[in-house]
Amino acid sequence: EAPTNPRIYSDRKAWGWCGWAQGLPGMDDSECRKKFPPLFDREFRCPIVFDEKGQGFGDPVASVGEAMKRMDETELKDLDLPPTARFAAIVVRRSSSGGDDGGNYWVRYIGLNASSPYEPWSSSKVFAAANAAGRLQEVSQGEIGLQAFETGKGRQLADLMSIVTSYDHTMNMTSNSLGAYFHSIGGHREANEYIHRVLGSPDIESFGG
């Protein structure tokens, strides 16, 4: 199904917005093959609701290590994917009563070859952004996070994350510079503490960048 404005496909090619010409398999759109949804809406929520007793769902955990213990590696095993494919996702279910507090949603952890340690390019920068989001929420009493906009720029911080992992250069920004930018918001020391808290990493490991 075509996106809201089907011209987006021809415009991206004409403007050279399809990604890094050298190409990074699975991480760019250098051949302009990306498919866009028919509806662009940041506030959209799935209209389907589930009861709280859905199979495989439970309360969220506090660390990646705990999540790995609950990772379901069977859900995706029948997909026609290469043996080297790796995948991990958190599926969220909300109760019919709505709300965002801990008592109103449950999560399920599904993956494929997710139990083996693996770090795609620049994935650690996502933690820098997550730490920055936490800092913004702290100073704003929970009012903003990565949905904040740069002053005078009109760019939402969450949108900059697509550049971090796609290496797109059309806005004259680099993945490394944005990783450093998120560190400047959240703080290097705080980011290092954050990954130890979330990943459960030993003290001997540090967060570079």
Side-chain angles (χ1 to χ4, degrees):
E1 189 174 3
T4 306
N5 181 1
R7 284 189 54 191
I8 191 171
Y9 294 114
S10 58
D11 287 345
R12 290 178 77 242
K13 289 183 179 180
W15 297 338
W17 282 12
C18 293
W20 194 17
Q22 296 181 33
L24 295 169
M27 299 174 66
D28 68 352
D29 188 35
S30 60
E31 297 183 5
C32 280
R33 293 182 177 181
K34 182 178 180 180
K35 298 297 182 182
F36 289 84
L39 176 67
F40 291 89
D41 185 353
R42 291 186 183 276
E43 306 302 321
F44 176 80
R45 289 190 179 187
C46 179
I48 304 299
V49 294
F50 300 88
D51 63 53
E52 60 268 28
K53 297 181 180 179
Q55 184 177 4
F57 285 80
D59 292 330
V61 297
S63 71
V64 173
E66 289 299 314
M68 294 307 302
K69 295 177 182 178
R70 287 172 45 186
M71 183 71 67
D72 181 357
E73 292 260 0
T74 64
E75 184 74 20
L76 307 175
K77 64 181 179 62
D78 294 328
L79 295 180
D80 185 18
L81 295 172
T84 55
R86 299 172 184 268
F87 178 83
I90 302 174
V91 182
V92 180
R93 270 187 173 173
R94 299 190 184 278
S95 71
S96 57
S97 60
D100 293 325
D101 61 283
N104 280 28
Y105 75 93
W106 300 266
V107 298
R108 182 183 182 192
Y109 303 93
I110 60 174
L112 185 67
N113 297 324
S115 58
S116 301
Y118 179 73
E119 183 181 3
W121 282 16
S122 296
S123 60
S124 61
K125 296 170 189 170
V126 175
F127 293 108
N131 179 60
R135 176 59 178 165
L136 290 171
Q137 291 175 344
E138 178 185 352
V139 298
S140 67
Q141 288 76 52
E143 292 295 320
I144 61 172
L146 291 185
Q147 73 271 37
F149 287 85
E150 290 185 285
T151 302
K153 300 289 186 180
R155 294 187 295 240
Q156 193 171 46
L157 298 186
D159 289 337
L160 299 181
M161 277 307 302
S162 63
I163 298 176
V164 168
T165 53
S166 70
Y167 302 92
D168 179 88
H169 59 85
T170 55
M171 297 181 68
N172 295 318
M173 298 180 183
T174 67
S175 177
N176 286 343
S177 67
L178 288 173
Y181 176 57
F182 286 124
H183 269 323
S184 70
I185 296 173
H188 285 78
R189 183 183 65 184
E190 291 79 2
N192 191 59
E193 294 172 351
Y194 174 80
I195 65 159
H196 284 86
R197 184 170 68 252
V198 173
L199 296 180
S201 304
D203 292 340
I204 194 173
E205 295 180 1
S206 63
F207 191 177

PDB file of all heavy atoms in Angstrom, residues 131-148 157 185:
ATOM      1  N   ASN A 131      20.043   7.255  27.817  1.00  0.00           N
ATOM      2  CA  ASN A 131      20.478   7.974  29.008  1.00  0.00           C
ATOM      3  C   ASN A 131      20.145   9.458  28.901  1.00  0.00           C
ATOM      4  O   ASN A 131      19.728  10.088  29.879  1.00  0.00           O
ATOM      5  CB  ASN A 131      21.986   7.788  29.203  1.00  0.00           C
ATOM      6  CG  ASN A 131      22.515   8.529  30.407  1.00  0.00           C
ATOM      7  OD1 ASN A 131      22.098   8.290  31.538  1.00  0.00           O
ATOM      8  ND2 ASN A 131      23.438   9.453  30.172  1.00  0.00           N
ATOM      9  N   ALA A 132      20.294  10.019  27.693  1.00  0.00           N
ATOM     10  CA  ALA A 132      19.935  11.418  27.477  1.00  0.00           C
ATOM     11  C   ALA A 132      18.445  11.634  27.708  1.00  0.00           C
ATOM     12  O   ALA A 132      18.030  12.636  28.301  1.00  0.00           O
ATOM     13  CB  ALA A 132      20.305  11.844  26.059  1.00  0.00           C
ATOM     14  N   ALA A 133      17.625  10.679  27.244  1.00  0.00           N
ATOM     15  CA  ALA A 133      16.183  10.778  27.455  1.00  0.00           C
ATOM     16  C   ALA A 133      15.854  10.782  28.940  1.00  0.00           C
ATOM     17  O   ALA A 133      14.999  11.549  29.407  1.00  0.00           O
ATOM     18  CB  ALA A 133      15.475   9.617  26.766  1.00  0.00           C
ATOM     19  N   GLY A 134      16.555   9.926  29.696  1.00  0.00           N
ATOM     20  CA  GLY A 134      16.330   9.885  31.136  1.00  0.00           C
ATOM     21  C   GLY A 134      16.694  11.194  31.803  1.00  0.00           C
ATOM     22  O   GLY A 134      16.001  11.650  32.722  1.00  0.00           O
ATOM     23  N   ARG A 135      17.774  11.812  31.340  1.00  0.00           N
ATOM     24  CA  ARG A 135      18.194  13.105  31.895  1.00  0.00           C
ATOM     25  C   ARG A 135      17.155  14.183  31.599  1.00  0.00           C
ATOM     26  O   ARG A 135      16.802  14.991  32.471  1.00  0.00           O
ATOM     27  CB  ARG A 135      19.549  13.495  31.309  1.00  0.00           C
ATOM     28  CG  ARG A 135      20.048  14.871  31.727  1.00  0.00           C
ATOM     29  CD  ARG A 135      20.190  15.006  33.238  1.00  0.00           C
ATOM     30  NE  ARG A 135      20.712  16.312  33.603  1.00  0.00           N
ATOM     31  CZ  ARG A 135      20.663  16.815  34.831  1.00  0.00           C
ATOM     32  NH1 ARG A 135      20.084  16.106  35.808  1.00  0.00           N
ATOM     33  NH2 ARG A 135      21.166  17.995  35.086  1.00  0.00           N
ATOM     34  N   LEU A 136      16.643  14.200  30.380  1.00  0.00           N
ATOM     35  CA  LEU A 136      15.623  15.180  30.012  1.00  0.00           C
ATOM     36  C   LEU A 136      14.347  14.989  30.834  1.00  0.00           C
ATOM     37  O   LEU A 136      13.715  15.965  31.258  1.00  0.00           O
ATOM     38  CB  LEU A 136      15.309  15.077  28.517  1.00  0.00           C
ATOM     39  CG  LEU A 136      16.418  15.542  27.569  1.00  0.00           C
ATOM     40  CD1 LEU A 136      16.064  15.193  26.132  1.00  0.00           C
ATOM     41  CD2 LEU A 136      16.664  17.038  27.706  1.00  0.00           C
ATOM     42  N   GLN A 137      13.971  13.742  31.045  1.00  0.00           N
ATOM     43  CA  GLN A 137      12.787  13.470  31.868  1.00  0.00           C
ATOM     44  C   GLN A 137      13.005  13.913  33.304  1.00  0.00           C
ATOM     45  O   GLN A 137      12.089  14.411  33.959  1.00  0.00           O
ATOM     46  CB  GLN A 137      12.449  11.986  31.799  1.00  0.00           C
ATOM     47  CG  GLN A 137      11.931  11.541  30.444  1.00  0.00           C
ATOM     48  CD  GLN A 137      11.718  10.056  30.356  1.00  0.00           C
ATOM     49  OE1 GLN A 137      12.214   9.292  31.176  1.00  0.00           O
ATOM     50  NE2 GLN A 137      10.974   9.626  29.344  1.00  0.00           N
ATOM     51  N   GLU A 138      14.237  13.740  33.780  1.00  0.00           N
ATOM     52  CA  GLU A 138      14.548  14.117  35.164  1.00  0.00           C
ATOM     53  C   GLU A 138      14.436  15.626  35.359  1.00  0.00           C
ATOM     54  O   GLU A 138      13.797  16.087  36.312  1.00  0.00           O
ATOM     55  CB  GLU A 138      15.964  13.656  35.505  1.00  0.00           C
ATOM     56  CG  GLU A 138      16.414  14.048  36.909  1.00  0.00           C
ATOM     57  CD  GLU A 138      17.858  13.676  37.170  1.00  0.00           C
ATOM     58  OE1 GLU A 138      18.473  12.977  36.338  1.00  0.00           O
ATOM     59  OE2 GLU A 138      18.393  14.116  38.216  1.00  0.00           O
ATOM     60  N   VAL A 139      15.023  16.405  34.454  1.00  0.00           N
ATOM     61  CA  VAL A 139      15.035  17.861  34.637  1.00  0.00           C
ATOM     62  C   VAL A 139      13.689  18.503  34.296  1.00  0.00           C
ATOM     63  O   VAL A 139      13.426  19.634  34.693  1.00  0.00           O
ATOM     64  CB  VAL A 139      16.149  18.523  33.802  1.00  0.00           C
ATOM     65  CG1 VAL A 139      17.504  18.012  34.251  1.00  0.00           C
ATOM     66  CG2 VAL A 139      15.934  18.302  32.316  1.00  0.00           C
ATOM     67  N   SER A 140      12.839  17.779  33.559  1.00  0.00           N
ATOM     68  CA  SER A 140      11.536  18.340  33.183  1.00  0.00           C
ATOM     69  C   SER A 140      10.393  17.740  33.998  1.00  0.00           C
ATOM     70  O   SER A 140       9.233  17.948  33.652  1.00  0.00           O
ATOM     71  CB  SER A 140      11.276  18.103  31.693  1.00  0.00           C
ATOM     72  OG  SER A 140      11.114  16.721  31.427  1.00  0.00           O
ATOM     73  N   GLN A 141      10.744  16.988  35.064  1.00  0.00           N
ATOM     74  CA  GLN A 141       9.731  16.319  35.882  1.00  0.00           C
ATOM     75  C   GLN A 141       8.829  15.423  35.030  1.00  0.00           C
ATOM     76  O   GLN A 141       7.609  15.386  35.186  1.00  0.00           O
ATOM     77  CB  GLN A 141       8.870  17.321  36.660  1.00  0.00           C
ATOM     78  CG  GLN A 141       9.572  18.005  37.829  1.00  0.00           C
ATOM     79  CD  GLN A 141      10.525  19.087  37.364  1.00  0.00           C
ATOM     80  OE1 GLN A 141      10.142  19.967  36.599  1.00  0.00           O
ATOM     81  NE2 GLN A 141      11.751  19.036  37.837  1.00  0.00           N
ATOM     82  N   GLY A 142       9.459  14.711  34.097  1.00  0.00           N
ATOM     83  CA  GLY A 142       8.739  13.744  33.291  1.00  0.00           C
ATOM     84  C   GLY A 142       7.965  14.308  32.119  1.00  0.00           C
ATOM     85  O   GLY A 142       7.231  13.584  31.447  1.00  0.00           O
ATOM     86  N   GLU A 143       8.144  15.589  31.825  1.00  0.00           N
ATOM     87  CA  GLU A 143       7.362  16.215  30.749  1.00  0.00           C
ATOM     88  C   GLU A 143       7.915  15.904  29.356  1.00  0.00           C
ATOM     89  O   GLU A 143       7.156  15.791  28.399  1.00  0.00           O
ATOM     90  CB  GLU A 143       7.318  17.736  30.946  1.00  0.00           C
ATOM     91  CG  GLU A 143       6.524  18.181  32.160  1.00  0.00           C
ATOM     92  CD  GLU A 143       5.044  17.837  32.036  1.00  0.00           C
ATOM     93  OE1 GLU A 143       4.495  17.984  30.929  1.00  0.00           O
ATOM     94  OE2 GLU A 143       4.449  17.413  33.051  1.00  0.00           O
ATOM     95  N   ILE A 144       9.223  15.796  29.216  1.00  0.00           N
ATOM     96  CA  ILE A 144       9.806  15.565  27.891  1.00  0.00           C
ATOM     97  C   ILE A 144      10.891  14.504  27.964  1.00  0.00           C
ATOM     98  O   ILE A 144      11.432  14.213  29.031  1.00  0.00           O
ATOM     99  CB  ILE A 144      10.409  16.852  27.284  1.00  0.00           C
ATOM    100  CG1 ILE A 144      11.540  17.387  28.183  1.00  0.00           C
ATOM    101  CG2 ILE A 144       9.343  17.901  27.054  1.00  0.00           C
ATOM    102  CD1 ILE A 144      12.313  18.529  27.553  1.00  0.00           C
ATOM    103  N   GLY A 145      11.203  13.936  26.805  1.00  0.00           N
ATOM    104  CA  GLY A 145      12.308  13.005  26.647  1.00  0.00           C
ATOM    105  C   GLY A 145      12.903  13.245  25.273  1.00  0.00           C
ATOM    106  O   GLY A 145      13.188  14.380  24.902  1.00  0.00           O
ATOM    107  N   LEU A 146      13.034  12.189  24.487  1.00  0.00           N
ATOM    108  CA  LEU A 146      13.558  12.366  23.139  1.00  0.00           C
ATOM    109  C   LEU A 146      12.527  12.957  22.185  1.00  0.00           C
ATOM    110  O   LEU A 146      12.825  13.203  21.020  1.00  0.00           O
ATOM    111  CB  LEU A 146      14.072  11.032  22.588  1.00  0.00           C
ATOM    112  CG  LEU A 146      15.326  10.473  23.260  1.00  0.00           C
ATOM    113  CD1 LEU A 146      15.799   9.231  22.536  1.00  0.00           C
ATOM    114  CD2 LEU A 146      16.441  11.510  23.314  1.00  0.00           C
ATOM    115  N   GLN A 147      11.305  13.189  22.675  1.00  0.00           N
ATOM    116  CA  GLN A 147      10.339  13.895  21.825  1.00  0.00           C
ATOM    117  C   GLN A 147      10.584  15.402  21.836  1.00  0.00           C
ATOM    118  O   GLN A 147       9.878  16.155  21.160  1.00  0.00           O
ATOM    119  CB  GLN A 147       8.899  13.597  22.257  1.00  0.00           C
ATOM    120  CG  GLN A 147       8.450  14.263  23.551  1.00  0.00           C
ATOM    121  CD  GLN A 147       8.735  13.421  24.771  1.00  0.00           C
ATOM    122  OE1 GLN A 147       9.757  12.756  24.838  1.00  0.00           O
ATOM    123  NE2 GLN A 147       7.834  13.439  25.739  1.00  0.00           N
ATOM    124  N   ALA A 148      11.593  15.841  22.588  1.00  0.00           N
ATOM    125  CA  ALA A 148      11.950  17.258  22.621  1.00  0.00           C
ATOM    126  C   ALA A 148      12.527  17.691  21.275  1.00  0.00           C
ATOM    127  O   ALA A 148      13.065  16.879  20.518  1.00  0.00           O
ATOM    128  CB  ALA A 148      12.970  17.513  23.727  1.00  0.00           C
ATOM    129  N   LEU A 157      14.610  15.157  18.715  1.00  0.00           N
ATOM    130  CA  LEU A 157      15.792  14.374  19.068  1.00  0.00           C
ATOM    131  C   LEU A 157      15.641  12.910  18.678  1.00  0.00           C
ATOM    132  O   LEU A 157      16.614  12.267  18.273  1.00  0.00           O
ATOM    133  CB  LEU A 157      16.056  14.490  20.575  1.00  0.00           C
ATOM    134  CG  LEU A 157      16.364  15.897  21.106  1.00  0.00           C
ATOM    135  CD1 LEU A 157      16.755  15.831  22.566  1.00  0.00           C
ATOM    136  CD2 LEU A 157      17.466  16.563  20.294  1.00  0.00           C
ATOM    137  N   ILE A 185      24.236  15.587  26.543  1.00  0.00           N
ATOM    138  CA  ILE A 185      22.960  15.827  27.223  1.00  0.00           C
ATOM    139  C   ILE A 185      22.855  15.000  28.495  1.00  0.00           C
ATOM    140  O   ILE A 185      22.515  15.512  29.570  1.00  0.00           O
ATOM    141  CB  ILE A 185      21.777  15.504  26.285  1.00  0.00           C
ATOM    142  CG1 ILE A 185      21.768  16.433  25.075  1.00  0.00           C
ATOM    143  CG2 ILE A 185      20.448  15.601  27.041  1.00  0.00           C
ATOM    144  CD1 ILE A 185      20.736  16.067  24.026  1.00  0.00           C
TER     145      ILE A 185
END
